[in-house]
Amino acid sequence: MSPTPTPVQTHCPYCALQCGMSLTAARPAVPGGVPVVVGGREFPTNRGGLCQKGWTSAGVLAAPDRLTTPLLRGADGELRTASWDEALSVVARGLARIAVESGPEAVAVFGGGGLTNEKAYTLGKFARTVLRTPNIDYNGRFCMASAAAGMNRAFGVDRGLPFPLTDLGGAQAVLLLGSNLAETMPPSVRHLAGARAAGGLVVVDPRRSTTAQLADGGQGVHLAPVPGTDLVVLLGLLHVVLAEGLADTEYLETRTTGAEAVRRSVAAWWPERAAAVCGVPADDLRRTARLLAAASGRHGGAGAYILTGRGVEQSTQGTATVTAAINLALALGLPGRPGSGFGAVTGQGNGQGGREHGQKADQLPGYRMITDPSARAHVAAVWGVEEETIPGPGLPAVALLDALGRDGGPRALLVHGSNVVVSAPNADRVVERLRALDLLVVCDVVPSETARMADVVLPVTQWAEEEGTMTSLEGRVIRRRRAVDAPGEVRSELWVWAELARRLGSGVELATDPEQVFDELARASAGGPADYSGLSHGRLDAAESRGDGLYWPCPDGEGAPHPGTPRMFLDGFPTPDGRARMTAVDHGGPSDDVREDAPTYLVTGRVLQHYQTGAQTHRVPELEDAQPEPFVEVHPLLALRVGLEDGETVRLTTSRGTALARARWTTDIRPDTVFMPFHWAGEGSANRLTTDAVDPTSKMPEFKVCAVRLEPAVPTSPVDAETSAALTANGAR
């Protein structure tokens, strides 16, 4: 009898919750079957539970169309198999030729928030030292950029949750804006139990989402604003807090600056005026503000948290909205007080670590700004290059994608861990720009829509086939561990970049062992806001064996090892004067507002079964069977106005493009709004509709609201008056 396989302790491959799980080799092994069995594991964020995606994650390892050999596009226009030597030679020759002809900035790199810290770090180093290009950004620009801008401005540092997720469990109130945790991160919902029991869960969402329903039965409040007006909700709440004397005045005086300017600015947003813009009744705004104040330490409450998500951040006023949420939190005295705080719910698996170590256009490892001379000197010394050879800031994601193939823009693009054909806004234009490139190289695990457009496709390892680290939404650095061997000729990106560097004649050393890369990353981050210098794979292994992890910043000091920083701001903020900075902001509205030819709001988001562009989850039968096709949620009264039957195919049209989806009638959405998930490609792609207008500060695109016209794909007769009257009588309002 063969011995029982030893489970490998690792983490889920999907979202930033990074739930702990165990992987055991499947016995007996079945050809084409899943190679491992997923088990729950006791870990603080998930406490042994997983969502449907997590339980079925082994299915991605057995995807029938898994990429196992390099592919090259032949003279006939079709992709064919190739050897690694042939494929890398084509890439290296193409990159070298383009750099000679048009300069190093003609080569661009687009990374991903799912890459390990080791890969994110090496990709940034590869771009800036081997390719010498400033043009590197990543899909985290679509995810956390507005939250990062707002937190940096207010606190001097950006960590999604500056406290452990488990701290939420003791709160009396939680204000959640723009996040549907019950579907995107189901195991996190258990941490809201205390707030729900106290009647203090406040969910701001134009839909009565699964998360909003958690506030039913006296467990909280659901506020359903007009899409694009979340900022007004926050301004109205802060007006009430200040006008009714609910603010923590001692905290404002001793721990903040800018409070008086903010007070003057929100004086114009009394509840009735706010209600006229955002659609949330004035009494609900007053009740919510008082609820939050009562939960704060200033008023003897058990604690309150304010959390933002993509629903309010993916906006042309996303940074302003995050700033308004922080202003409200500061007025209540929450940040830096145990049991209370402000945080932003990171979405992608390594969205936090991915932006800390060099994938963003303006940052170097350790969350250092690339324009900071001291930061450049420190990182250059670690990399063994001259400081002046490190390029300056490059183009942020939306501008970078729009510049592809244009005069003076990049002629080659390397894509790692991203599927921009589906994930980027105004997706048809992105396809157009990709087609204009001289060379498109994609590293991926499956033939994603972007990979199918590539000139060269390189097969790379995925989560259970590699070692490394990830950083969760709470700043906890955790270990990803290899449980199975990669199939076929699959290689790690670390090997790919080192091979390309050698072929391009670079003298820069790129390590291929993840542990060695992490040790270099730690040195490069030393002294930066995201300081990992006191961490190592060994320390992280030991911490996780105790069932926990270590949080950055974790500097390498003298004496005993630094314990990490689970809770930030307790003794002050990392700003020049140690105070949090309040900034006055005002509402401007969405860039693409409703009008006569597009009279309905479109909002986009996720569903429980799928993740991002669906490149992984569409290949898991259980998930695909549960959500097999794109759909759009439509209120029955809106459906009646446009002559749309439940279950009928609807055509959605914006100024950017057209999409088709199945209509689902529901009263859990505003009658002026439709909701469409963004997990599908082709004619069902929501991002064919979205606008690529960006926030002026964060350069984050406005995914979450635009104006759309609805009509049946095949015109039908209108619903009769009797049916309309019955729906109205039954509460379809």
Side-chain angles (χ1 to χ4, degrees), residues 414-426:
L414 309 181
V415 179
H416 305 271
S418 189
N419 187 14
V420 293
V421 167
V422 185
S423 66
N426 197 358

Side-chain angles (χ1 to χ4, degrees), residues 393-418:
L395 295 171
V398 173
L400 178 61
L401 293 173
D402 189 58
L404 299 176
R406 298 189 189 277
D407 290 345
R411 295 170 52 194
L413 178 68
L414 309 181
V415 179
H416 305 271
S418 189

Side-chain angles (χ1 to χ4, degrees), residues 393-603:
L395 295 171
V398 173
L400 178 61
L401 293 173
D402 189 58
L404 299 176
R406 298 189 189 277
D407 290 345
R411 295 170 52 194
L413 178 68
L414 309 181
V415 179
H416 305 271
S418 189
N419 187 14
V420 293
V421 167
V422 185
S423 66
N426 197 358
D428 287 348
R429 179 177 294 177
V430 172
V431 170
E432 173 188 294
R433 301 321 317 151
L434 291 176
R435 286 176 176 156
L437 288 167
D438 292 353
L439 178 65
L440 174 61
V441 182
V442 176
C443 283
D444 214 327
V445 300
V446 293
S448 67
E449 287 74 17
T450 307
R452 291 172 195 159
M453 292 188 65
D455 301 294
V456 184
V457 181
L458 303 177
V460 293
T461 52
Q462 58 173 308
W463 64 292
E465 301 161 356
E466 61 188 18
E467 293 282 332
T469 61
M470 308 284 278
T471 304
S472 75
L473 78 168
E474 51 189 353
R476 190 196 310 251
V477 187
I478 55 179
R479 284 276 281 117
R480 169 175 282 186
R481 296 183 178 86
R482 186 174 64 85
V484 296
D485 293 331
E489 298 179 41
V490 170
R491 300 286 187 273
S492 167
E493 285 103 327
L494 296 177
W495 178 86
V496 171
W497 297 322
E499 274 295 300
L500 284 174
R502 182 180 65 82
R503 290 167 185 261
L504 289 167
S506 172
V508 175
E509 181 180 350
L510 297 180
T512 59
D513 176 77
E515 188 168 5
Q516 292 180 11
V517 174
F518 189 88
D519 290 344
E520 183 182 314
L521 176 161
R523 295 194 303 274
S525 73
D531 192 333
Y532 282 37
S533 61
L535 299 175
S536 66
H537 278 202
R539 271 203 83 188
L540 295 172
D541 285 339
E544 284 214 45
S545 70
R546 299 190 299 268
D548 198 351
L550 292 167
Y551 300 76
W552 71 261
C554 186
D556 183 20
E558 297 180 0
H562 192 283
T565 312
R567 296 170 186 85
M568 304 182 78
F569 315 143
L570 298 180
D571 301 318
F573 298 92
T575 58
D577 60 2
R579 294 170 176 247
R581 296 170 289 213
M582 300 179 74
T583 303
V585 293
D586 205 359
H587 173 69
S591 64
D592 185 21
D593 213 340
V594 292
R595 53 192 180 275
E596 185 176 354
D597 66 327
T600 302
Y601 291 107
L602 168 68
V603 297

Side-chain angles (χ1 to χ4, degrees), residues 40 77 118 128 157 286 722:
E118 292 80 0
R128 295 183 171 105
V157 69
R286 290 189 175 92
E722 183 178 348

